[in-house]
Amino acid sequence: FSKLAVDGASAEGKIYAAPGSVKAVALYYNESTIPTPPATTDALMDLVKGGKKLVINQNGYHNFPFWGSFGGKLLAADGTCIADQGGFVEAMQYLVDLKAAGATFETDGGKADTLFRQGQADMIINGPWVLGDYSKDLGDKLGVVPVPAGPGGPSTPLSGIDGWYVNPNAADAQKQRAVDFALEVLSAENQAIYADVAGAPPSRTDVKTANPLVAAFAQAGAAGLPRPQSAEFGNYWGPFGDALTKVMEGQATPADAVATACADMNAANGK
């Protein structure tokens, strides 16, 4: 994410500029009730068992970091789903155990936000797009750390990007002006302003923001899993969203749900 890319000769005829900001979820916490944020899944579980309130959006995006925490890998190099080969079952069982310990899994994102913003939850997993709202409510009590690592390694939030695209059908002079503008906007100086004023995590590794919360999200994005830009990954959402719902509602075991989701994903992809 740290370099600008301009491609005027691709097969698709696209000209594009690299992203100006990177987005990934992390763990928000209230420093007044969580003086030491959890770095591991065991520590997170201990906090929940001890009465601390955790709210998680129940979907395949916000929960994606835990797949990596337990060593799970979604896709092989050829786009085949391999989630049933380890990690995903253990991660889903961990989420079930978190819920049993007292964590709230919420399908309404607005309700989840309200619980945290009003002090009814001590922790929530979410992205930088709500940083301004959370900061307004919690002020200097707001903290951000990566989603906890687990026995399988660091968490793997999906890293997304805000990118600049230039219409390849525009006149050459206009395309060059657009690229020049993107280069100026994505300079280190201007990305720093964007990060400090708008709270957008910078994609450039040479940009330092004065806001430690924004910096934490930049680090989360850099350490996350770049969201695959493939047709195969597009068929992740339905099967695994359904699997997570069934598991969290007690309608399927983690093993059965993952096996079914992976089979459905491969069927949709012709694998």
Side-chain angles (χ1 to χ4, degrees), residues 158-181:
L158 286 172
S159 295
I161 57 174
D162 286 339
W164 290 77
Y165 290 81
V166 179
N167 189 339
N169 299 311
D172 289 343
Q174 291 295 94
K175 287 187 285 191
Q176 188 58 53
R177 290 191 186 98
V179 170
D180 290 343
F181 176 75

Side-chain angles (χ1 to χ4, degrees), residues 12 19 35 67 78 121 154 156 166 203 233:
E12 299 81 11
W67 309 152
D78 65 353
T156 53
V166 179
S203 60
F233 182 73

Side-chain angles (χ1 to χ4, degrees), residues 189-245:
E189 179 183 3
N190 286 325
Q191 271 210 27
I193 294 172
Y194 192 42
D196 291 339
V197 176
S203 60
R204 295 182 59 132
T205 57
D206 59 346
V207 172
K208 305 301 180 186
T209 174
N211 187 330
L213 303 182
V214 175
F217 274 110
Q219 293 166 5
L225 176 69
R227 182 169 173 168
Q229 301 299 301
S230 67
E232 288 87 356
F233 182 73
N235 286 312
Y236 158 79
W237 302 107
F240 280 88
D242 290 345
L244 188 62
T245 296

Side-chain angles (χ1 to χ4, degrees), residues 62-156:
H62 286 82
N63 297 166
F64 200 97
F66 290 106
W67 309 152
S69 298
F70 287 83
K73 186 176 181 181
L74 179 65
L75 296 172
D78 65 353
T80 300
C81 177
I82 55 173
D84 56 352
Q85 296 181 20
F88 275 66
V89 171
E90 292 80 1
M92 283 201 184
Q93 184 60 57
Y94 174 79
L95 296 177
V96 170
D97 294 342
L98 265 183
K99 183 176 181 178
T104 298
F105 283 77
E106 182 56 65
T107 57
D108 183 334
K111 185 175 179 180
D113 283 344
T114 298
L115 290 173
F116 184 68
R117 294 176 66 179
Q118 293 185 351
Q120 299 173 57
D122 304 294
M123 299 171 283
I124 187 172
I125 293 174
N126 217 334
W129 47 87
V130 291
L131 178 57
D133 291 334
Y134 288 3
S135 295
K136 189 181 304 180
D137 291 318
L138 276 77
D140 59 7
K141 295 185 296 183
L142 184 65
V144 175
V145 292
V147 174
S155 62
T156 53

